[in-house]
Amino acid sequence: MAWTRFAKKSPLQLVITGVLLALLIYWAWPVFDWLFFKAQFTGTDRSACTGEGACWLFVRARFDQFIFGFYEPSERWRPILVAILWILGFIPVRLARFPARKALIPFLLVVLPVSSWFILRGGFWGLPSVETSRWGGLMLTLLISAIGISLSLPLGILLALGRRSELPLLRWITVAFIELWRGVPLITVLFMASVMLPFFLPPGVEFDKLLRCLVGVVLFTSAYMAEVVRAGLQAVPKGQHEAAAALGFGYWQSMGLVVLPQALRQVIPGIVNTFISLFKDTSLVLIIGMFDLLGMVQAASTDPEWMGYAMEGYVFAGFVFWLFCFSMSRTSLRLEKRLEQAR
Amino acid sequence: MAQAARKKTQGRGLLLQALALLIVVLILGLIIHNTVLNLEARGIASGFGFLSQPAGFDLAFHLLPYDETTTFGQLFIIALLNTLLVSAIGVVFASLLGLLVALARLSQNPLIRLLGTIYVETLRNIPLLLQLFFWYFAVLRNLPGPRESLEFFGVVYLNNRGLSIPFPMEPAAAFYIALALILGLIVGHYLRQAAVKKRVEAGRFPAWHLLPYAIPVIFPLLTLLLLGQRWQISWPELQGFNFSGGLQLIPEFVSLVAALSLYTAAFVAEIVRAGILSVQKGQMEASEALGLTRLDTMRLVILPQALRVILPPLTSQYLNLVKNSSLAAAIAFPDLVLVFSGTAINITGQAVEIMAMVMMVYLLLSLSISAAMNRYQSKTLHYLGQRS
């Protein structure tokens, strides 16, 4: 319907469309050929890959490593258990009518990250311990993003409140903190976490590398989160503050019960965007020698056993990242629409 | 009553601030104390004395001359220039491509619109580092050798050794011409303003009102003539197993610029599109009713208003691009982060000083870019009667 109207309205556009479509098929066809039609899906090792298409055997052979890194195969039920816990934990958040939604917040922010850490790390109650250096793949990507998100949101809110505070000293400290983290690239933050943080600790104190990296990621992300939350705080009308004051609310009551809920609702898209950047930026940990999904793919594609199949690895990793980011951005769009209707 | 309450909150505020200050001072003090202890324990002398020592390692790409006697201090400038060069080229390409994709997404042709959407949704949802690896390890490294180069119009060649482009025999000549072009644009801008002023006073344009557009062309042409013999383009030519002549850009440089600009363009496109859509439809109709052409409508009515929405997020994207250029470290392009936070720390062990220097540079860059863009923005807002 729309198409026929379009064609009637402008025949020239129709010609342009036709030429473009022809060119597109001409260029895209070899890509699809490589991806699917001439690709090799079955077999056990690289000797099966003789065609001109993609060799997906590489991804199949290394799939477990792409997901779990070097985590002991016999212990992989633990990351799966943690994943199930996170999914179960977040289902009530999506249910608008769940009774104890508020009570869930400390559970999601504290209990879930801490218990995931201990389940994965092990070393108690007969659970064999798994060194964090063996954690990797998609599991590590998700872990860093999830913990980064859980911790940077509350920290970001505190920073935003500090930046909007009427106390000048508090304001300057938070402004300096936020601008410092926002002004430098994440790579330098990670370098700092891996090279410099040991210098900052008392001599003899050892600190897990993954934990150091998490500290860097959380501080870096919280500065961005603070700016998002600040935008939300600015959008709350002044009358709301006054109304809360008229009710006799103190600072924390008025913020927690009146201002923040409105502010956060306003900036949900911004918060989701920060999540998405964090999720993508997680891949940078490979620069300081940790193996997230991209790190595992990169390592596997330089392995002599599978030399020359880097393209397949990147396409696979790209697709996984894309799937997560795209669904997050769609969720944010849907939320935005729903909130607009509610207003 | 009220006064007593105010006094109480004031007192509490002071106490809170004192507490915050105490915590900050304590944390900083602890960090400095521990660092000094650790440095002593490892026998590392602190200070910036290492900057005058010769660096003595090889660099794959440098704009300034570089040899074994180059000190760490000079190396810092050379590495910084690499970062700035990549960022500057990236910003230009990302802006141009971003504008193009934005226009594609606003096109009335559904197929063009779809292509724009696919571009944006694909590139911005995949980590930049992955895209960088893709261009470097999967594409550029796998290109055929120089003998089977991909050829573009017989002047530009792409192969696994990088990109060969025509370039002036003397790089200085290129510099003078670029200078003349920039000078021409500035002079043209002021002449144009003078012409507009004349028109406001006299009611019509002066006879030379086209001159402002010609000057940016005339200046470089004049420079060309003045340079005479010194101006000679050197064309890339296949000799033996590699290209000679022209300018050889290493694969690390090409993939970094490509990844940065293609990735950032997706974000720029969305910003420009949102900006153009934010201008009310009535504005377009009004300027059409005034008899303005489509181009003039865009240039005089839509864009100035859209810019108000575009500039702040665009500034952050430029900042992101500059900071993201640090991913160069992952494919061993010698930018500031790789050369300093990587190699120099390994050689000298001066981790604290070097990290501080690198972070300061990015901090200063970020602050000055935001300051420049804020200035530009307040100027455009001024023209628009400060409606924001």
Side-chain angles (χ1 to χ4, degrees):
Chain A
M1 182 59 194
W3 264 100
T4 47
R5 229 185 306 137
F6 174 70
K8 254 187 217 149
K9 221 167 118 189
S10 139
L12 177 67
Q13 285 292 330
L14 203 63
V15 174
I16 294 176
T17 314
V19 173
L20 210 60
L21 204 61
L23 273 178
L24 201 65
I25 291 172
Y26 178 74
W27 279 323
W29 187 252
V31 176
F32 280 102
D33 234 16
W34 183 83
L35 277 175
F36 306 111
F37 308 128
K38 285 189 180 151
Q40 184 74 37
F41 290 95
T42 51
T44 46
D45 58 52
R46 64 179 294 166
S47 60
C49 289
T50 46
E52 293 162 23
C55 180
W56 296 118
L57 296 182
F58 167 51
V59 175
R60 267 185 56 166
R62 293 302 174 92
F63 189 77
D64 288 352
Q65 274 191 12
F66 289 171
I67 304 300
F68 297 107
F70 300 109
Y71 209 89
E72 272 72 1
S74 60
E75 302 296 321
R76 282 180 185 161
W77 59 271
R78 276 147 66 176
I80 294 172
L81 174 72
V82 167
I84 293 172
L85 281 180
W86 278 84
I87 294 169
L88 284 180
F90 273 93
I91 283 177
V93 178
R94 301 275 329 250
L95 302 174
R97 286 168 194 281
F98 190 77
R101 271 179 78 190
K102 285 251 164 66
L104 267 173
I105 293 173
F107 174 75
L108 293 177
L109 291 182
V110 182
V111 181
L112 213 46
V114 172
S115 60
S116 325
W117 182 272
F118 280 105
I119 294 174
L120 291 175
R121 184 70 180 71
F124 60 92
W125 296 342
L127 266 186
S129 79
V130 182
E131 295 296 321
T132 55
S133 56
R134 306 190 66 87
W135 303 10
L138 184 62
M139 166 197 145
L140 189 66
T141 302
L142 291 174
L143 186 83
I144 297 177
S145 329
I147 294 186
I149 289 167
S150 305
L151 298 183
S152 68
L153 185 59
L155 194 56
I157 292 174
L158 284 182
L159 285 171
L161 291 179
R163 191 165 187 166
R164 299 256 306 160
S165 158
E166 281 166 7
L167 310 171
L169 198 62
L170 211 61
R171 206 166 54 227
W172 294 333
I173 293 173
T174 40
V175 167
F177 183 89
I178 293 171
E179 293 302 334
L180 184 76
W181 293 112
R182 278 170 21 107
V184 297
L186 180 57
I187 287 201
T188 61
V189 174
L190 291 174
F191 265 120
M192 200 167 98
S194 75
V195 181
M196 259 165 83
L197 213 55
F199 281 110
F200 294 165
L201 297 169
V205 175
E206 289 283 324
F207 207 50
D208 188 89
K209 190 175 180 184
L210 178 56
L211 271 181
R212 290 203 306 253
C213 151
L214 275 172
V215 170
V217 167
V218 167
L219 292 179
F220 181 81
T221 312
S222 66
Y224 281 85
M225 202 62 93
E227 288 300 276
V228 173
V229 176
R230 181 169 74 116
L233 288 174
Q234 276 169 350
V236 176
K238 215 177 156 211
Q240 297 288 331
H241 291 264
E242 291 162 358
L247 283 174
F249 281 0
Y251 178 80
W252 290 109
Q253 272 179 316
S254 103
M255 276 300 164
L257 297 174
V258 180
V259 180
L260 266 179
Q262 298 183 55
L264 290 180
R265 189 168 305 165
Q266 291 260 357
V267 290
I268 286 177
I271 294 175
V272 178
N273 277 343
T274 316
F275 290 176
I276 296 176
S277 332
L278 170 61
F279 185 78
K280 283 187 293 176
D281 284 347
T282 305
S283 54
L284 298 191
V285 298
L286 82 87
I287 292 172
I288 56 167
M290 288 197 285
F291 294 98
D292 75 315
L293 172 60
L294 180 56
M296 283 311 307
V297 170
Q298 178 76 355
S301 67
T302 48
D303 181 349
E305 198 186 327
W306 288 104
M307 212 62 146
Y309 296 110
M311 187 77 97
E312 285 85 343
Y314 294 133
V315 170
F316 169 74
F319 179 68
V320 174
F321 273 108
W322 183 87
L323 212 61
F324 276 96
C325 295
F326 186 72
S327 38
M328 273 196 274
S329 72
R330 287 293 121 151
T331 310
S332 136
L333 268 182
R334 230 185 12 246
L335 276 173
E336 214 173 329
K337 285 222 176 82
R338 211 169 69 194
L339 290 173
E340 232 156 65
Q341 279 169 358
R343 213 169 285 158
Chain B
M1 251 303 259
Q3 217 167 8
R6 200 176 308 139
K7 236 184 186 156
K8 198 176 148 201
T9 29
Q10 256 177 9
R12 206 186 295 160
L14 276 178
L15 194 72
L16 199 66
Q17 298 197 63
L19 202 70
L21 189 67
L22 191 73
I23 292 174
V24 170
V25 168
L26 230 102
I27 291 177
L28 285 181
L30 209 66
I31 286 177
I32 293 170
H33 174 76
N34 285 336
T35 309
V36 169
L37 278 186
N38 281 314
L39 289 178
E40 266 173 15
R42 291 177 211 197
I44 302 172
S46 55
F48 290 91
F50 72 96
L51 286 179
S52 52
Q53 288 166 15
F57 57 87
D58 206 24
L59 269 196
F61 184 91
H62 45 87
L63 294 173
L64 296 178
Y66 180 86
D67 55 43
E68 289 85 51
T69 61
T70 309
T71 63
F72 278 106
Q74 289 163 325
L75 186 66
F76 183 72
I77 305 293
I78 292 173
L80 176 61
L81 275 181
N82 284 353
T83 287
L84 291 178
L85 179 76
V86 166
S87 309
I89 297 178
V91 162
V92 173
F93 280 154
S95 309
L96 293 177
L97 189 61
L99 183 66
L100 208 70
V101 175
L103 293 179
R105 289 205 67 182
L106 291 168
S107 159
Q108 48 172 322
N109 185 318
L111 184 63
I112 296 179
R113 235 173 19 231
L114 178 73
L115 287 178
T117 310
I118 292 177
Y119 179 91
V120 169
E121 292 296 358
T122 311
L123 273 92
R124 74 170 177 183
N125 283 323
I126 294 177
L128 174 59
L129 186 61
L130 202 161
Q131 298 189 30
L132 182 60
F133 282 161
F134 176 83
W135 291 117
Y136 184 60
F137 289 109
V139 178
L140 269 149
R141 285 279 204 79
N142 282 341
L143 283 174
R147 281 170 172 280
E148 290 95 34
S149 294
L150 298 177
E151 189 183 320
F152 301 96
F153 314 110
V155 289
V156 175
Y157 299 89
L158 192 62
N159 54 55
N160 60 6
R161 305 262 181 101
L163 186 72
S164 299
I165 56 169
F167 202 71
M169 217 53 128
E170 279 185 63
F175 177 71
Y176 292 135
I177 288 172
L179 208 66
L181 178 70
I182 293 170
L183 210 67
L185 284 172
I186 294 172
V187 172
H189 174 73
Y190 282 109
L191 271 181
R192 166 81 193 164
Q193 280 190 337
V196 170
K197 204 174 157 203
K198 274 262 159 57
R199 193 179 94 146
V200 171
E201 284 163 3
R204 59 196 186 94
F205 271 124
W208 46 268
H209 75 281
L210 285 178
L211 197 62
Y213 298 103
I215 279 189
V217 184
I218 295 172
F219 273 30
L221 282 178
L222 269 178
T223 322
L224 253 172
L225 286 178
L226 280 174
L227 284 168
Q229 275 298 315
R230 291 180 61 193
W231 168 255
Q232 219 168 28
I233 293 185
S234 136
W235 303 90
E237 258 173 275
L238 189 64
Q239 262 180 9
F241 291 104
N242 205 351
F243 279 88
S244 69
L247 184 69
Q248 185 78 25
L249 296 168
I250 56 173
E252 288 81 7
F253 179 88
V254 178
S255 21
L256 184 60
V257 169
L260 276 176
S261 0
L262 291 171
Y263 179 76
T264 314
F267 292 88
V268 172
E270 284 302 276
I271 291 167
V272 172
R273 185 175 73 104
I276 291 177
L277 284 178
S278 77
V279 180
Q280 282 166 2
K281 223 178 153 195
Q283 297 281 329
M284 178 94 83
E285 291 159 2
S287 68
E288 252 167 47
L290 282 173
L292 262 68
T293 63
R294 274 193 76 137
L295 194 72
D296 275 344
T297 303
M298 201 64 183
R299 196 169 61 86
L300 298 171
V301 180
I302 309 290
L303 272 183
Q305 297 186 69
L307 269 183
R308 204 175 49 197
V309 180
I310 290 173
L311 279 180
L314 191 65
T315 309
S316 343
Q317 283 311 321
Y318 287 167
L319 283 173
N320 281 345
L321 190 144
V322 174
K323 284 187 279 173
N324 282 336
S325 73
S326 60
L327 296 193
I331 55 165
F333 175 78
D335 81 319
L336 186 63
V337 169
L338 177 75
V339 171
F340 256 64
S341 320
T343 321
I345 284 190
N346 284 339
I347 293 178
T348 65
Q350 307 280 3
V352 179
E353 291 85 354
I354 286 176
M355 284 311 298
M357 278 173 81
V358 171
M359 290 179 117
M360 276 315 281
V361 165
Y362 282 101
L363 212 54
L364 285 178
L365 272 178
S366 296
L367 293 178
S368 43
I369 292 180
S370 357
M373 291 295 271
N374 278 340
R375 228 186 92 96
Y376 181 59
Q377 197 190 340
S378 60
K379 229 176 127 185
T380 45
L381 280 184
H382 180 72
Y383 284 134
L384 289 164
Q386 276 161 342
R387 279 198 308 127
S388 75

